[in-house]
Amino acid sequence: VIQLMSLREAEFAKLAISGILATRISFMNDMAHLSESMGVDIDVVRTALGADPRIGDAYLYPGCGFGGPGLSSTVMTLVSAQHEKQTEPGLLDQVMLINERQKEVLFRKFWQYNSGNVAGKRVAIWGAAFKPGTHRVDNAPALKVIGALWAQNVQVAVHDPQALPELADWAKDKGELDVFQDPYLAAEGADALMLMTEWRCYWSPDWVRLRAIMREPLVLDGRNIYDPSFVKAQGLVYRGIGRV
């Protein structure tokens, strides 16, 4: 589709598109948070929403938040413009608050599972990039989770197919971080496995091997790529985003 418009209109349209996409993501994350308290599987709800032709299924996948140099910064530009023109907080302020809250959702699940007794434990993180297919970690949810784990004296081990060098640079002078080229070495001796980025290499892991090498069989699925019933049948404990 080619649409003629002024330069300023084109710039605003780009910002508005990012704003609506971010809103859909945060809306689904908000619904996932509510669904857990009601014993409702958000994946069933998502499928129903996506089947409505007025809505569609794009950007309706709950998870552990969005990041990156594109969407996050573009939405923040739109939020800043709103702050300059209006005194009341707008919808996008809440969208960004929900997203920042969501970045720590896996840490909160880990905390709750252990009743707050997390000091000295070890967590493996699969995926540090803000999305699959990139080495960038700008505003990635993994960074906030790592910071929260460090604050509670939790050991952190990370695997990512591309982002380890950039992650190591980010971690300098911040805290101790173990990085691994093999995802199973990262998971060895872990008290929890957190899936943060849905790289294809993580979609069909060797569950028997994971159960054998992990100290505690807790799988925290930040992208809802695993089937809860199947993972539980392998002898592991599953926690997803709005999954029951």
Side-chain angles (χ1 to χ4, degrees):
V1 176
I2 297 176
Q3 183 176 344
L4 297 177
M5 61 183 76
S6 70
L7 176 60
R8 195 148 182 81
E9 288 167 340
E11 291 174 334
F12 192 90
K14 179 184 178 183
L15 293 174
I17 290 169
S18 295
I20 195 67
L21 296 180
T23 300
R24 287 170 68 99
I25 295 171
S26 285
F27 173 79
M28 286 305 297
N29 284 332
D30 217 20
M31 291 300 98
H33 182 70
L34 179 60
S35 75
E36 288 186 4
S37 66
M38 300 176 68
V40 174
D41 191 334
I42 194 62
D43 198 57
V44 176
V45 176
R46 178 195 62 79
T47 302
L49 287 170
D52 190 320
R54 298 169 298 178
I55 299 173
D57 61 2
Y59 286 79
L60 281 187
Y61 292 85
C64 53
F66 60 82
L71 186 59
S72 296
S73 61
T74 304
V75 176
M76 286 306 302
T77 299
L78 192 55
V79 170
S80 297
Q82 283 186 312
H83 289 173
E84 291 176 5
K85 300 298 182 182
Q86 59 192 42
T87 56
E88 295 287 330
L91 171 64
L92 289 177
D93 286 278
Q94 191 63 28
V95 166
M96 296 306 290
L97 283 174
I98 292 171
N99 188 59
E100 289 306 303
R101 179 195 72 192
Q102 201 68 15
K103 288 180 179 181
E104 291 187 339
V105 67
L106 295 191
F107 171 78
R108 292 195 297 271
K109 290 178 182 293
F110 174 64
W111 175 276
Q112 291 165 0
Y113 178 81
N114 291 283
S115 301
N117 301 312
V118 298
K121 292 189 179 295
R122 181 178 180 85
V123 169
I125 294 177
W126 281 3
F130 76 91
K131 68 175 183 179
T134 182
H135 63 89
R136 303 289 295 270
V137 298
D138 315 54
N139 301 313
L143 304 188
K144 195 156 190 176
V145 168
I146 292 170
L149 292 170
W150 279 340
Q152 298 298 324
N153 296 315
V154 177
Q155 300 174 4
V156 184
V158 186
H159 172 269
D160 187 283
Q162 295 184 21
L164 291 184
E166 189 164 320
L167 180 67
D169 287 340
W170 169 84
K172 284 180 181 176
D173 304 321
K174 291 186 176 70
E176 186 177 346
L177 192 67
D178 296 328
V179 296
F180 293 88
Q181 300 296 328
D182 185 308
Y184 295 99
L185 289 180
E188 191 167 346
D191 295 288
L193 170 62
M194 295 184 179
L195 188 285
M196 303 291 297
T197 312
E198 64 275 30
W199 289 94
R200 281 292 172 185
C201 62
Y202 302 144
W203 282 68
S204 298
D206 185 337
W207 296 110
V208 174
R209 183 178 179 184
L210 277 177
R211 181 65 184 88
I213 64 176
M214 291 178 65
R215 185 159 52 193
E216 289 288 336
L218 177 61
V219 175
L220 300 166
D221 182 2
R223 298 299 174 185
N224 286 354
I225 66 173
Y226 302 131
D227 178 78
S229 298
F230 182 82
V231 176
K232 293 173 184 177
Q234 309 310 305
L236 293 109
V237 179
Y238 178 88
R239 298 287 188 274
I241 310 298
R243 304 304 305 275
V244 294

PDB file of all heavy atoms in Angstrom, residues 226-244:
ATOM      1  N   TYR A 226       6.033 -23.660  25.240  1.00  0.00           N
ATOM      2  CA  TYR A 226       5.915 -25.068  25.618  1.00  0.00           C
ATOM      3  C   TYR A 226       4.479 -25.396  26.023  1.00  0.00           C
ATOM      4  O   TYR A 226       3.732 -24.536  26.488  1.00  0.00           O
ATOM      5  CB  TYR A 226       6.850 -25.388  26.779  1.00  0.00           C
ATOM      6  CG  TYR A 226       8.305 -25.103  26.498  1.00  0.00           C
ATOM      7  CD1 TYR A 226       9.083 -24.367  27.391  1.00  0.00           C
ATOM      8  CD2 TYR A 226       8.909 -25.543  25.333  1.00  0.00           C
ATOM      9  CE1 TYR A 226      10.421 -24.099  27.141  1.00  0.00           C
ATOM     10  CE2 TYR A 226      10.244 -25.282  25.069  1.00  0.00           C
ATOM     11  CZ  TYR A 226      10.997 -24.556  25.975  1.00  0.00           C
ATOM     12  OH  TYR A 226      12.309 -24.290  25.712  1.00  0.00           O
ATOM     13  N   ASP A 227       4.125 -26.656  25.862  1.00  0.00           N
ATOM     14  CA  ASP A 227       2.816 -27.135  26.290  1.00  0.00           C
ATOM     15  C   ASP A 227       2.897 -27.510  27.770  1.00  0.00           C
ATOM     16  O   ASP A 227       3.681 -28.394  28.140  1.00  0.00           O
ATOM     17  CB  ASP A 227       2.403 -28.349  25.467  1.00  0.00           C
ATOM     18  CG  ASP A 227       1.071 -28.905  25.910  1.00  0.00           C
ATOM     19  OD1 ASP A 227       0.033 -28.329  25.543  1.00  0.00           O
ATOM     20  OD2 ASP A 227       1.070 -29.916  26.637  1.00  0.00           O
ATOM     21  N   PRO A 228       2.119 -26.856  28.629  1.00  0.00           N
ATOM     22  CA  PRO A 228       2.225 -27.115  30.071  1.00  0.00           C
ATOM     23  C   PRO A 228       2.046 -28.577  30.445  1.00  0.00           C
ATOM     24  O   PRO A 228       2.813 -29.113  31.249  1.00  0.00           O
ATOM     25  CB  PRO A 228       1.107 -26.247  30.659  1.00  0.00           C
ATOM     26  CG  PRO A 228       0.907 -25.147  29.663  1.00  0.00           C
ATOM     27  CD  PRO A 228       1.158 -25.777  28.333  1.00  0.00           C
ATOM     28  N   SER A 229       1.035 -29.238  29.861  1.00  0.00           N
ATOM     29  CA  SER A 229       0.763 -30.634  30.214  1.00  0.00           C
ATOM     30  C   SER A 229       1.919 -31.536  29.830  1.00  0.00           C
ATOM     31  O   SER A 229       2.295 -32.453  30.579  1.00  0.00           O
ATOM     32  CB  SER A 229      -0.522 -31.111  29.530  1.00  0.00           C
ATOM     33  OG  SER A 229      -1.632 -30.352  29.957  1.00  0.00           O
ATOM     34  N   PHE A 230       2.517 -31.285  28.666  1.00  0.00           N
ATOM     35  CA  PHE A 230       3.626 -32.114  28.200  1.00  0.00           C
ATOM     36  C   PHE A 230       4.843 -31.947  29.100  1.00  0.00           C
ATOM     37  O   PHE A 230       5.489 -32.932  29.485  1.00  0.00           O
ATOM     38  CB  PHE A 230       3.987 -31.766  26.760  1.00  0.00           C
ATOM     39  CG  PHE A 230       5.099 -32.604  26.195  1.00  0.00           C
ATOM     40  CD1 PHE A 230       4.848 -33.868  25.685  1.00  0.00           C
ATOM     41  CD2 PHE A 230       6.407 -32.134  26.184  1.00  0.00           C
ATOM     42  CE1 PHE A 230       5.878 -34.650  25.185  1.00  0.00           C
ATOM     43  CE2 PHE A 230       7.440 -32.905  25.682  1.00  0.00           C
ATOM     44  CZ  PHE A 230       7.170 -34.171  25.177  1.00  0.00           C
ATOM     45  N   VAL A 231       5.167 -30.699  29.447  1.00  0.00           N
ATOM     46  CA  VAL A 231       6.332 -30.450  30.289  1.00  0.00           C
ATOM     47  C   VAL A 231       6.146 -31.101  31.656  1.00  0.00           C
ATOM     48  O   VAL A 231       7.064 -31.727  32.194  1.00  0.00           O
ATOM     49  CB  VAL A 231       6.594 -28.943  30.430  1.00  0.00           C
ATOM     50  CG1 VAL A 231       7.750 -28.683  31.396  1.00  0.00           C
ATOM     51  CG2 VAL A 231       6.909 -28.322  29.068  1.00  0.00           C
ATOM     52  N   LYS A 232       4.949 -30.972  32.215  1.00  0.00           N
ATOM     53  CA  LYS A 232       4.672 -31.586  33.520  1.00  0.00           C
ATOM     54  C   LYS A 232       4.779 -33.105  33.445  1.00  0.00           C
ATOM     55  O   LYS A 232       5.234 -33.752  34.393  1.00  0.00           O
ATOM     56  CB  LYS A 232       3.289 -31.164  34.002  1.00  0.00           C
ATOM     57  CG  LYS A 232       3.181 -29.681  34.336  1.00  0.00           C
ATOM     58  CD  LYS A 232       1.737 -29.296  34.657  1.00  0.00           C
ATOM     59  CE  LYS A 232       1.604 -27.805  34.885  1.00  0.00           C
ATOM     60  NZ  LYS A 232       0.179 -27.398  35.126  1.00  0.00           N
ATOM     61  N   ALA A 233       4.384 -33.669  32.307  1.00  0.00           N
ATOM     62  CA  ALA A 233       4.457 -35.120  32.144  1.00  0.00           C
ATOM     63  C   ALA A 233       5.903 -35.618  32.095  1.00  0.00           C
ATOM     64  O   ALA A 233       6.160 -36.805  32.320  1.00  0.00           O
ATOM     65  CB  ALA A 233       3.723 -35.544  30.873  1.00  0.00           C
ATOM     66  N   GLN A 234       6.843 -34.719  31.807  1.00  0.00           N
ATOM     67  CA  GLN A 234       8.257 -35.091  31.792  1.00  0.00           C
ATOM     68  C   GLN A 234       8.887 -35.010  33.177  1.00  0.00           C
ATOM     69  O   GLN A 234      10.102 -35.208  33.329  1.00  0.00           O
ATOM     70  CB  GLN A 234       9.034 -34.175  30.830  1.00  0.00           C
ATOM     71  CG  GLN A 234       8.440 -34.044  29.442  1.00  0.00           C
ATOM     72  CD  GLN A 234       8.118 -35.377  28.806  1.00  0.00           C
ATOM     73  OE1 GLN A 234       8.981 -36.235  28.692  1.00  0.00           O
ATOM     74  NE2 GLN A 234       6.856 -35.557  28.392  1.00  0.00           N
ATOM     75  N   GLY A 235       8.073 -34.710  34.183  1.00  0.00           N
ATOM     76  CA  GLY A 235       8.575 -34.662  35.550  1.00  0.00           C
ATOM     77  C   GLY A 235       9.098 -33.314  35.964  1.00  0.00           C
ATOM     78  O   GLY A 235       9.780 -33.210  37.001  1.00  0.00           O
ATOM     79  N   LEU A 236       8.756 -32.262  35.214  1.00  0.00           N
ATOM     80  CA  LEU A 236       9.216 -30.921  35.561  1.00  0.00           C
ATOM     81  C   LEU A 236       8.036 -30.068  36.023  1.00  0.00           C
ATOM     82  O   LEU A 236       6.876 -30.396  35.781  1.00  0.00           O
ATOM     83  CB  LEU A 236       9.895 -30.257  34.356  1.00  0.00           C
ATOM     84  CG  LEU A 236      11.206 -30.906  33.920  1.00  0.00           C
ATOM     85  CD1 LEU A 236      11.012 -31.625  32.601  1.00  0.00           C
ATOM     86  CD2 LEU A 236      12.319 -29.881  33.790  1.00  0.00           C
ATOM     87  N   VAL A 237       8.357 -28.984  36.699  1.00  0.00           N
ATOM     88  CA  VAL A 237       7.352 -28.022  37.147  1.00  0.00           C
ATOM     89  C   VAL A 237       7.292 -26.897  36.126  1.00  0.00           C
ATOM     90  O   VAL A 237       8.331 -26.306  35.788  1.00  0.00           O
ATOM     91  CB  VAL A 237       7.690 -27.458  38.536  1.00  0.00           C
ATOM     92  CG1 VAL A 237       6.645 -26.432  38.971  1.00  0.00           C
ATOM     93  CG2 VAL A 237       7.803 -28.584  39.557  1.00  0.00           C
ATOM     94  N   TYR A 238       6.092 -26.595  35.613  1.00  0.00           N
ATOM     95  CA  TYR A 238       5.951 -25.592  34.552  1.00  0.00           C
ATOM     96  C   TYR A 238       5.238 -24.348  35.075  1.00  0.00           C
ATOM     97  O   TYR A 238       4.223 -24.451  35.762  1.00  0.00           O
ATOM     98  CB  TYR A 238       5.164 -26.160  33.384  1.00  0.00           C
ATOM     99  CG  TYR A 238       4.925 -25.167  32.254  1.00  0.00           C
ATOM    100  CD1 TYR A 238       5.847 -25.005  31.235  1.00  0.00           C
ATOM    101  CD2 TYR A 238       3.782 -24.357  32.255  1.00  0.00           C
ATOM    102  CE1 TYR A 238       5.638 -24.074  30.234  1.00  0.00           C
ATOM    103  CE2 TYR A 238       3.567 -23.428  31.250  1.00  0.00           C
ATOM    104  CZ  TYR A 238       4.504 -23.289  30.237  1.00  0.00           C
ATOM    105  OH  TYR A 238       4.306 -22.363  29.234  1.00  0.00           O
ATOM    106  N   ARG A 239       5.790 -23.186  34.736  1.00  0.00           N
ATOM    107  CA  ARG A 239       5.130 -21.917  34.979  1.00  0.00           C
ATOM    108  C   ARG A 239       5.258 -21.076  33.715  1.00  0.00           C
ATOM    109  O   ARG A 239       6.364 -20.781  33.274  1.00  0.00           O
ATOM    110  CB  ARG A 239       5.765 -21.165  36.164  1.00  0.00           C
ATOM    111  CG  ARG A 239       5.671 -21.875  37.498  1.00  0.00           C
ATOM    112  CD  ARG A 239       4.269 -21.846  38.074  1.00  0.00           C
ATOM    113  NE  ARG A 239       4.257 -22.361  39.444  1.00  0.00           N
ATOM    114  CZ  ARG A 239       4.149 -23.643  39.762  1.00  0.00           C
ATOM    115  NH1 ARG A 239       4.069 -24.562  38.798  1.00  0.00           N
ATOM    116  NH2 ARG A 239       4.119 -24.030  41.026  1.00  0.00           N
ATOM    117  N   GLY A 240       4.115 -20.725  33.122  1.00  0.00           N
ATOM    118  CA  GLY A 240       4.129 -19.876  31.932  1.00  0.00           C
ATOM    119  C   GLY A 240       3.513 -18.522  32.245  1.00  0.00           C
ATOM    120  O   GLY A 240       3.374 -18.134  33.394  1.00  0.00           O
ATOM    121  N   ILE A 241       3.121 -17.815  31.188  1.00  0.00           N
ATOM    122  CA  ILE A 241       2.495 -16.503  31.332  1.00  0.00           C
ATOM    123  C   ILE A 241       0.992 -16.680  31.115  1.00  0.00           C
ATOM    124  O   ILE A 241       0.538 -16.824  29.986  1.00  0.00           O
ATOM    125  CB  ILE A 241       3.059 -15.489  30.318  1.00  0.00           C
ATOM    126  CG1 ILE A 241       4.584 -15.491  30.339  1.00  0.00           C
ATOM    127  CG2 ILE A 241       2.497 -14.097  30.607  1.00  0.00           C
ATOM    128  CD1 ILE A 241       5.198 -15.082  31.653  1.00  0.00           C
ATOM    129  N   GLY A 242       0.240 -16.719  32.202  1.00  0.00           N
ATOM    130  CA  GLY A 242      -1.197 -16.901  32.104  1.00  0.00           C
ATOM    131  C   GLY A 242      -1.633 -18.304  31.744  1.00  0.00           C
ATOM    132  O   GLY A 242      -2.768 -18.517  31.341  1.00  0.00           O
ATOM    133  N   ARG A 243      -0.733 -19.278  31.862  1.00  0.00           N
ATOM    134  CA  ARG A 243      -1.070 -20.664  31.552  1.00  0.00           C
ATOM    135  C   ARG A 243      -1.473 -21.410  32.815  1.00  0.00           C
ATOM    136  O   ARG A 243      -0.958 -21.142  33.891  1.00  0.00           O
ATOM    137  CB  ARG A 243       0.114 -21.391  30.901  1.00  0.00           C
ATOM    138  CG  ARG A 243       0.667 -20.740  29.645  1.00  0.00           C
ATOM    139  CD  ARG A 243      -0.350 -20.522  28.544  1.00  0.00           C
ATOM    140  NE  ARG A 243      -1.050 -21.732  28.163  1.00  0.00           N
ATOM    141  CZ  ARG A 243      -0.589 -22.626  27.264  1.00  0.00           C
ATOM    142  NH1 ARG A 243       0.588 -22.447  26.697  1.00  0.00           N
ATOM    143  NH2 ARG A 243      -1.315 -23.686  26.951  1.00  0.00           N
ATOM    144  N   VAL A 244      -2.398 -22.359  32.657  1.00  0.00           N
ATOM    145  CA  VAL A 244      -2.836 -23.168  33.796  1.00  0.00           C
ATOM    146  C   VAL A 244      -2.760 -24.642  33.410  1.00  0.00           C
ATOM    147  O   VAL A 244      -2.652 -24.980  32.248  1.00  0.00           O
ATOM    148  CB  VAL A 244      -4.280 -22.811  34.219  1.00  0.00           C
ATOM    149  CG1 VAL A 244      -4.321 -21.383  34.764  1.00  0.00           C
ATOM    150  CG2 VAL A 244      -5.255 -22.986  33.065  1.00  0.00           C
TER     151      VAL A 244
END
